[in-house]
Amino acid sequence: MNTVSTTASQTGQPNLSSWALPSLTFLFFIWGFITCLNDILIPHLKAVFDLNYTQAMLIQFCFFTAYFLVSLPAGALINKVGYQKGIVLGLLIAGVGTLNFIPAAQFHSYPWFLAALFVMASGITILQVAANPYVTILGPERTASSRLTMTQAFNSLGTTLAPLFGASLILGTLDSSDTAHSVQLPYLLLTGALFVVALVFSRLNLPVVQQEKAADSVSLSALKPYRHLWLGAVGIFMYVGAEVAIGSTLVNFIGSEHVLALAEADAAHYVAWYWGGAMLGRFIGAALMQRISAGLLLAVHAVAASALILLAMGSTGQLALWAILAVGLANSIMFPTIFSLALQGLKQHTSQGAGLLCLAIVGGAIVPVAQGMLADQFGLTLSFLLPAACYGYIAWFGLKGSRVE
C-alpha cells in the first residue's frame, strides 16, 4: 500500500499534509481554467480563419493529442523526480505554450496556434499525471473518490470562470470577428500566472510520497492483469471526448436559430452554466459518495447525461438550452470517479496506471473531431448522438466494468 511520509518532524513545521490538498486544489483550478478557454477559442478562430467544424476541432485534437503522447513519459518522469518537481516542470512547459499565443496571433498563423496548444497541453498533462494520483494517495483509499471529486470541484470552478473571462477579453472585443490579436492579452496574463505558480511550488515543502517498491521500468505489460483499469481507460476516453465535444460546440449550438439565435459573445456566457453545473455537482457528489456506491452513482449520472442530450436534440428554445447545459451537472462526478475506480488496488503500479488513464484523455482529441465531421455532414444537432453514445458506455462501466477481479 502507498504511504505518505513528510519531513514535518524534522523541520518543525505543523502537519504538512494539511498544505498538500489546498495546494493541489489550486492546480486543478488552473488547468481547468486553461482547458476550458478552448471552448471560447474554437468559435473565435473558426470565424477568424473561416474554418468548418472539422477544421476548428483540430484545436481540441492538438490539445488532447498531447495527453496521448506525453502521459506515459510523464509517468516515468514523476517516478524519477517526484510529484512536486513534476508539477513545477509541468507549469513551466504550460507557460511556454501560452506564451506562444502571442506570436501566433501576431503572424496570423493557425498552425502556430495549434503548435502552441500542443505545448501548453503537454505541460498540463504532466500536472495531471502528478496531481491526480497524489490526491488519491494523500489519505485512506476508501475515501479517494470523495477526495478527488472535491479537488475536481475546484477544477470546475476554473472551467466556470474561463468562459466569462474569454467572452469578455476574446469574443467581446470589437475586432474579434476578423483578427486573432484579441487572444494576446488573456494568454499573456495566463503565462505570467503559470510562471509565478511554478515559482511558488518550487518553494513549498510538501509531503514526500514514497511507494512500496516503486519500479521505474514498469511498462504497460505490468498493468495487463488489471481489467478494471483498462475498462476505466476506455471510460476516461469516452467521458473526456463527450464532455469536450459538447463544450466545444455549445456556443454554436446555443447561437443556432432553433435555440436562442445569439451572437457568439452572448452565447459564450451560457457556457459558464455548463461548467458551473459540473462544479456544483462535484461538491454534492463528494458528500454523496461517502454514503452511495461510486459505481452506482456514476451509472445514474451517465444515464441522465444521455437523456438530457436526446431532450436537447428533440426540442427548441429554452428547453433545448437548459437540457444541454444540464449535461454539465450530470458530468460532475464522472472523471474523478472513473479515475479512482480504475486505480483501485494498483499499489506500486499507481503512477503507471495514472499515466494510462491520462493517456486515455486523448478521447478529447478524437471524439470532438468525429463530432465535427458529423456536424459538417449531417448538421450540428444530429452530431450530438455521438456523445450520447459515449455516456452509454460509462453507465455500463459504473455498474459492471469497474469491479475489481
Side-chain angles (χ1 to χ4, degrees), residues 186 266 315 369:
D266 296 322
S315 56
V369 172

Side-chain angles (χ1 to χ4, degrees), residues 57-252:
M57 288 300 186
L58 289 177
I59 290 173
Q60 300 291 27
F61 180 82
C62 289
F63 188 88
F64 285 96
T65 295
Y67 284 94
F68 182 79
L69 297 176
V70 177
S71 288
L72 291 179
L77 174 70
I78 300 306
N79 273 342
K80 289 186 177 181
V81 305
Y83 290 105
Q84 186 169 357
K85 289 182 180 177
I87 287 169
V88 172
L89 182 60
L91 287 165
L92 292 174
I93 293 174
V96 171
T98 55
L99 185 61
N100 269 276
F101 274 67
I102 311 305
Q106 188 65 36
F107 290 99
H108 200 75
S109 172
Y110 188 53
W112 200 329
F113 273 113
L114 297 179
L117 282 158
F118 180 85
V119 174
M120 180 176 69
S122 297
I124 294 175
T125 300
I126 297 173
L127 292 180
Q128 291 257 24
V129 173
N132 279 304
Y134 198 14
V135 169
T136 65
I137 291 169
L138 291 175
E141 185 173 346
R142 64 181 179 81
T143 59
S145 289
S146 175
R147 197 163 51 253
L148 191 55
T149 296
M150 180 58 71
T151 55
Q152 284 283 341
F154 286 90
N155 176 271
S156 292
L157 177 60
T159 61
T160 301
L161 296 179
L164 302 177
F165 176 82
S168 175
L169 292 183
I170 298 177
L171 296 180
T173 56
L174 293 176
D175 59 355
S176 64
S177 63
D178 57 14
T179 180
H181 291 170
S182 58
V183 306
Q184 290 180 314
L185 176 59
Y187 280 91
L188 182 60
L189 293 174
L190 286 174
T191 300
L194 287 166
F195 288 156
V196 168
V197 174
L199 177 62
V200 170
F201 262 85
S202 69
R203 302 298 179 88
L204 285 178
N205 190 7
L206 296 176
V208 176
V209 175
Q210 294 180 331
Q211 298 179 342
E212 289 183 344
K213 204 176 180 179
D216 292 341
S217 60
V218 173
S219 64
L220 286 178
S221 61
L223 302 177
K224 286 182 180 178
Y226 302 103
R227 176 178 176 271
H228 68 287
L229 170 66
W230 291 92
L231 294 175
V234 176
I236 292 290
F237 180 97
M238 296 292 188
Y239 164 70
V240 176
E243 181 186 54
V244 171
I246 293 171
S248 300
T249 52
L250 269 181
V251 171
N252 294 107

Side-chain angles (χ1 to χ4, degrees), residues 292-324:
I292 302 174
S293 162
L296 175 61
L297 201 60
L298 175 64
V300 170
H301 278 68
V303 170
S306 289
L308 287 165
I309 291 173
L310 295 176
L311 177 60
M313 291 175 61
S315 56
T316 60
Q318 293 288 331
L319 181 57
L321 169 70
W322 293 108
I324 199 65

